[in-house]
Amino acid sequence: AAPDKPAGVVAITFTDLRRRGKIGKMVLVDAVGERMPAVRDTMAAKIGAAYKDMDLSMTTLPADDVKFDPQSFREAIKLMTKGDVVTIFTPDDTHFEITMACIEAGLHVLA
């Protein structure tokens, strides 16, 4: 999510759903924690500054100083409750492992 990228439709949709009271917590996971400050800054500039009452608070994983952790999704799963919904936006070859871990935890998955 470089500063020159547009705000993603999924991010706008989820923050709008939260504004409307349809979803609660949000957890954003990437394999590269070092990208997370730029992602949060981009969301603040492209969504928070452009749309009214959009709550951009979320847990981001892994920590901002992590260079690479392809298993960081497992920490996110621990933060979720059975019945929560997970949306997976990763390279296709990673979907199966992440999806199965989510299903085994009782989560609903959109991949």
Side-chain angles (χ1 to χ4, degrees):
D4 63 331
K5 301 260 180 174
V9 68
V10 173
I12 293 170
T13 300
F14 284 174
T15 54
D16 184 56
L17 286 170
R18 184 191 314 198
R19 183 181 62 82
R20 296 168 186 255
K22 303 296 182 187
I23 64 172
K25 68 183 174 193
M26 291 195 302
V27 180
L28 181 63
V29 183
D30 192 306
V32 181
E34 292 175 335
R35 282 194 275 240
M36 293 315 220
V39 169
R40 291 189 300 269
D41 290 348
T42 299
M43 289 179 68
K46 304 288 173 95
I47 299 172
Y51 299 93
K52 185 178 180 179
D53 299 325
M54 296 295 228
D55 177 3
L56 298 175
S57 63
M58 70 187 81
T59 301
T60 56
L61 297 167
D64 292 353
D65 62 347
V66 174
K67 291 190 183 303
F68 185 68
D69 179 5
Q71 297 295 307
S72 58
F73 68 89
R74 295 188 185 282
E75 289 304 311
I77 290 171
K78 291 177 187 176
L79 299 175
M80 304 183 96
T81 304
K82 187 175 181 176
D84 284 351
V85 177
V86 175
T87 304
I88 300 173
F89 290 95
T90 60
D92 290 344
D93 64 337
T94 66
H95 284 197
F96 182 78
E97 180 182 8
I98 298 169
T99 299
M100 290 309 298
C102 291
I103 290 170
E104 289 167 0
L107 305 175
H108 300 282
V109 180
L110 300 170

